Amino acid sequence: MTELNRLLESIHPVSVELRDAARRRIDHLTKPIGSLGKLESNAARLVQVFGTTDLRIRRRVIFTFAADHGVAEVAGVSLYPRSVTGQMVLNFLTGGAAVNVLARQAHAEVRVIDAGTLTPIGDPRLIQKRIGPGTRNFLNECAMTREEAVRCLEWGADVFFEEYRNAPIDMAGVGDMGIGNSTSAAAVLCALSGRPAQEVAGRGTGLDDKGLSRKVSVIDESLKQRRPNPADAVDVLAKVGGFEIGEMAGCFLGGASRRCAMLVDGFISTAAAALAIRLRPGVQDYLFFSHQSAEQGHARALQDLKATPILDLEMRLGEGTGAAVAMHVLDCAVAMYRDMATFESAGVDTAT
């Protein structure tokens, strides 16, 4: 059995019995049944994920994976040069990016991973999981080999495992950085869903109508040339994916295998989650979709996954920012579950 197969086999179904037990407790809290809405359903889901009715969150981590994309060589698919990926990695490491600021508010640690930036970054604070100096241009050839795709998944899981060994993680967000990665993410989601690029590709960092049209045509032509197999997530990743997208998918799988609540960030993170779900459908029980991105294809991707986002704040940055904000909502769900009085303990009459 390969390392990837062992990883997939280590993800177990969540308990329906624990969910029902959590709901019974929530229904006995001093409020009308269902009146706290999705806080209630998210608390019950967290009980399932953790495998215990003793619900608490001790450690939070946001993993931000960075890599470059060969498809960014194509004129018009991105407003920014690929040099920005490495520059933003340094910004993450010095604590100056949006994800750092929002993570601090959520009492979450940030870990930054080089999955394949164009130029190596020699900083000891950076987790080195480089597959290569960016993917190949999938308009002309496959983004990576199948072996590299498998390595992405395995190394992404290793990132989670290595951090988990330092101290157990209860809640983790998974974010991204990579110039051109919204093109790759859109191609992945098109390949998995069968949707045309016009329905999935968005403006990314701010493309105008001409740029968006170019991006759509590049994705459609790439899918026609590469012909990824939608039933084979590894094939999709190899043909049109990104190194950071593959490692993010692996991180979702690794976290689920350790019963961690895994927060999907935005559009790119959802593409990674979709790959993980195609590999092991049960992983979705461990995923919490932080928010609905303003990127036009995100709503359709969530619809295809039958996933309900926690928030809709018109965000579209990535990095793990949406996950950091959604952590506050899940903290509220835990506080409700743990700290509210029951009708019996408070001496409050129940409904007749």
Side-chain angles (χ1 to χ4, degrees):
M1 181 180 290
T2 67
E3 182 179 339
L4 177 58
N5 286 336
R6 283 192 294 271
L7 172 62
L8 298 177
E9 290 297 322
S10 69
I11 299 169
H12 302 295
V14 296
S15 167
V16 175
E17 291 77 13
L18 278 174
R19 180 201 63 195
D20 293 343
R23 287 176 175 173
R24 285 193 295 271
R25 169 172 170 72
I26 293 167
D27 288 348
H28 282 86
L29 300 177
T30 49
K31 58 172 184 59
I33 291 175
S35 59
L36 285 178
K38 292 177 183 176
L39 289 181
E40 299 185 19
S41 57
N42 279 318
R45 286 197 62 209
L46 286 168
V47 166
Q48 286 185 288
V49 167
F50 297 154
T52 176
T53 54
D54 182 20
L55 186 57
R56 63 184 71 220
I57 296 174
R58 301 173 184 84
R59 187 181 181 213
R60 306 161 179 81
V61 176
I62 294 177
F63 296 97
T64 303
F65 292 83
D68 279 300
H69 292 257
V71 73
E73 297 170 350
V74 180
V77 301
S78 178
L79 291 179
Y80 291 86
R82 288 193 289 173
S83 57
V84 169
T85 302
Q87 292 164 358
M88 281 302 300
V89 166
L90 293 174
N91 194 21
F92 298 145
L93 294 173
T94 55
V99 68
N100 303 102
V101 173
L102 297 177
R104 286 193 288 269
Q105 292 297 310
H107 306 290
E109 306 161 52
V110 175
R111 297 291 180 266
V112 187
I113 303 94
D114 183 353
T117 56
L118 193 61
T119 304
I121 300 169
D123 191 303
R125 297 167 293 183
L126 183 62
I127 298 171
Q128 297 289 349
K129 296 292 181 182
R130 286 176 58 80
I131 305 295
T135 53
R136 303 167 188 88
N137 181 355
F138 59 67
L139 181 61
N140 301 324
E141 58 184 317
C142 291
M144 64 189 85
T145 66
R146 188 176 181 90
E147 291 73 23
E148 288 171 330
V150 170
R151 196 181 314 146
C152 283
L153 296 163
E154 294 175 346
W155 284 10
D158 286 344
V159 167
F160 184 90
F161 296 150
E162 289 162 11
E163 191 62 36
Y164 189 91
R165 280 194 288 271
N166 293 332
I169 305 167
D170 301 300
M171 189 159 61
V174 180
D176 68 279
M177 177 63 218
I179 297 302
N181 68 2
S182 67
T183 302
S184 179
V188 165
L189 290 167
C190 288
L192 293 174
S193 68
R195 289 183 182 272
Q198 189 172 7
E199 292 185 5
V200 180
R203 298 184 185 275
T205 51
L207 292 174
D208 59 15
D209 289 346
K210 182 179 178 180
L212 179 57
S213 177
R214 174 61 172 152
K215 184 175 181 178
V216 167
S217 67
V218 165
I219 294 169
D220 280 337
E221 182 61 24
S222 299
L223 292 171
K224 179 181 177 182
Q225 294 297 326
R226 306 282 82 77
R227 300 175 62 85
N229 178 2
D232 182 352
V234 176
D235 188 63
V236 172
L237 175 59
K239 288 179 176 174
V240 295
F243 292 147
E244 85 279 36
I245 293 173
E247 292 195 10
M248 291 161 71
C251 189
F252 285 129
L253 295 167
S257 75
R258 295 298 184 269
R259 290 194 167 277
C260 180
M262 301 299 293
L263 277 73
V264 183
D265 187 30
F267 182 67
I268 284 84
S269 191
T270 297
L275 288 169
I277 291 166
R278 190 59 54 95
L279 284 164
R280 186 69 167 180
V283 76
Q284 189 158 355
D285 291 335
Y286 297 87
L287 303 183
F288 293 78
F289 290 80
S290 301
H291 71 115
Q292 181 174 307
S293 168
E295 191 78 354
Q296 72 149 5
H298 197 210
R300 293 185 175 96
L302 293 170
Q303 178 185 349
D304 290 340
L305 294 172
K306 297 180 173 60
T308 302
I310 295 172
L311 299 166
D312 184 353
L313 300 176
E314 299 181 1
M315 297 170 66
R316 56 180 180 85
L317 178 59
E319 303 179 359
T321 50
V325 176
M327 284 180 177
H328 295 283
V329 178
L330 295 183
D331 279 339
C332 289
V334 172
M336 172 210 71
Y337 180 88
R338 288 187 58 83
D339 299 338
M340 276 187 71
T342 64
F343 285 102
E344 182 180 15
S345 68
V348 176
D349 292 337
T350 59
T352 58

